Amino acid sequence: AQSVTQLGSHVSVSEGALVLLRCNYSSSVPPYLFWYVQYPNQGLQLLLKYTSAATLVKGINGFEAEFKKSETSFHLTKPSAHMSDAAEYFCAVRASGSARQLTFGSGTQLTVLP
Amino acid sequence: DTGVSQNPRHKITKRGQNVTFRCDPISEHNRLYWYRQTLGQGPEFLTYFQNEAQLEKSRLLSDRFSAERPKGSFSTLEIQRTEQGDSAMYLCASSTPGLGGTGELFFGEGSRLTVL
C-alpha cells in the first residue's frame, strides 16, 4: 500500500521568499510521485511528476521537487514566491506498474504575504 | 476545450433525495476515476473504470452510491437517499491507457454537492 504525509497544513511565506512544501511517502514498491495544485473552487492541476527518471523534477510555474529515496521524501520548492502561487498543494503517490489510483495527502494551504 | 468536463458544477438538495453527476473524460483516455473531497482534505478515491468495466471500488462507496460508464465514454455517479455527510466536492479524472503509463490524472473542475 502507498501513502503520503504532508507536513504542515498551512504554510505562509512572503512574496519573493523561498517556498518549501514537504511530502514524505510510504511505498512497498518504487513509486511514482506527483504534486498537484488546486485553486479555489477548481479541480486539480498537475505541477510535476517523478517517474523514476531524473530525481530532480522541474514543473510548471517555476516549481521543482527532488526525489530522495533515502529520506522517502519528495518536497516541493520554488525559489521566489509570487502572489499567484497562493493555493492548496497536494502530494500524491502511485505504485509504478500499477493501474490503480493515486493516493493523495491531506494538502498544504500556501499563503503568500505581500 | 478538450479537458475533463463535469456537470452540474453545483447541486443543492434536500436530505433523502437522489442526485446524479456526469463526467465526460478526455476522449482518448480509457481510464476514468471518481474521487470525493471534503473541506480541508485531499481527494479520496471512490472508484475507477477501465473502458466500461468498473475495476475497483473503495469502501467509501456505500450501497447508496453507484457509478456507471455504459459505453466506455462518459460516466455517471448517482447517490441515492442523500445524507448531510455526503456534502462534498465530487471530482472526476481520466488518464491515458496502458499499464506502462505514468498514471498522471487529468481532473475536471468538480461537482459540489450540498445536502440540506
Side-chain angles (χ1 to χ4, degrees):
Chain A
Q2 294 76 44
S3 66
V4 290
T5 301
Q6 292 185 240
L7 298 176
S9 58
H10 291 85
V11 170
S12 293
V13 300
S14 297
E15 191 173 18
L18 171 72
V19 176
L20 170 61
L21 305 182
R22 299 177 186 274
C23 172
N24 288 88
Y25 71 90
S26 172
S27 178
S28 55
V29 297
Y32 290 159
L33 293 159
F34 305 79
W35 276 99
Y36 282 84
V37 62
Q38 186 177 35
Y39 297 98
N41 298 313
Q42 294 188 22
L44 283 76
Q45 179 185 3
L46 181 71
L47 277 177
L48 49 79
K49 60 185 178 183
Y50 166 76
T51 57
S52 74
T55 56
L56 182 62
V57 181
K58 294 188 184 297
I60 62 171
N61 302 337
F63 284 93
E64 63 182 37
E66 186 172 8
F67 173 71
K68 292 187 177 180
K69 184 178 178 180
S70 60
E71 298 178 6
T72 62
S73 69
F74 190 57
H75 301 331
L76 181 71
T77 61
K78 182 174 180 178
S80 176
H82 191 273
M83 297 296 288
S84 61
D85 295 326
E88 188 144 26
Y89 292 80
F90 294 96
C91 183
V93 64
R94 184 174 77 88
S96 59
S98 166
R100 292 190 161 179
Q101 74 284 359
L102 298 184
T103 300
F104 286 85
S106 56
T108 297
Q109 181 68 47
L110 175 66
T111 299
V112 181
L113 304 171
Chain B
D1 187 6
T2 58
V4 178
S5 176
Q6 292 187 246
N7 64 83
R9 292 290 312 280
H10 299 92
K11 178 71 176 180
I12 300 173
T13 191
K14 292 183 179 179
R15 184 166 51 97
Q17 298 295 304
N18 299 344
V19 297
T20 299
F21 300 114
R22 176 179 168 126
C23 172
D24 288 89
I26 294 171
S27 59
E28 63 267 27
H29 289 182
N30 72 338
R31 294 205 183 105
L32 185 147
Y33 304 78
W34 285 100
Y35 282 80
R36 182 173 69 186
Q37 185 179 23
T38 53
L39 197 61
Q41 298 297 318
E44 298 173 295
F45 170 75
L46 292 178
T47 188
Y48 105 91
F49 293 83
Q50 182 162 304
N51 300 313
E52 65 276 10
Q54 188 173 20
L55 297 186
E56 189 167 350
K57 294 194 293 186
S58 162
R59 282 173 286 182
L60 291 175
L61 210 67
S62 75
D63 56 6
R64 296 185 298 104
F65 287 69
S66 63
E68 294 183 342
R69 196 183 182 197
K71 298 183 180 178
S73 56
F74 73 92
S75 175
T76 58
L77 176 68
E78 181 183 17
I79 309 173
Q80 295 182 324
R81 306 180 303 281
T82 52
E83 301 173 355
Q84 288 184 326
D86 297 332
S87 295
M89 175 79 88
Y90 290 86
L91 295 168
C92 178
S94 65
S95 71
T96 52
L99 285 177
T102 56
E104 171 186 346
L105 301 188
F106 294 80
F107 282 85
E109 294 192 324
S111 293
R112 181 171 295 284
L113 173 65
T114 302
V115 182
L116 302 176

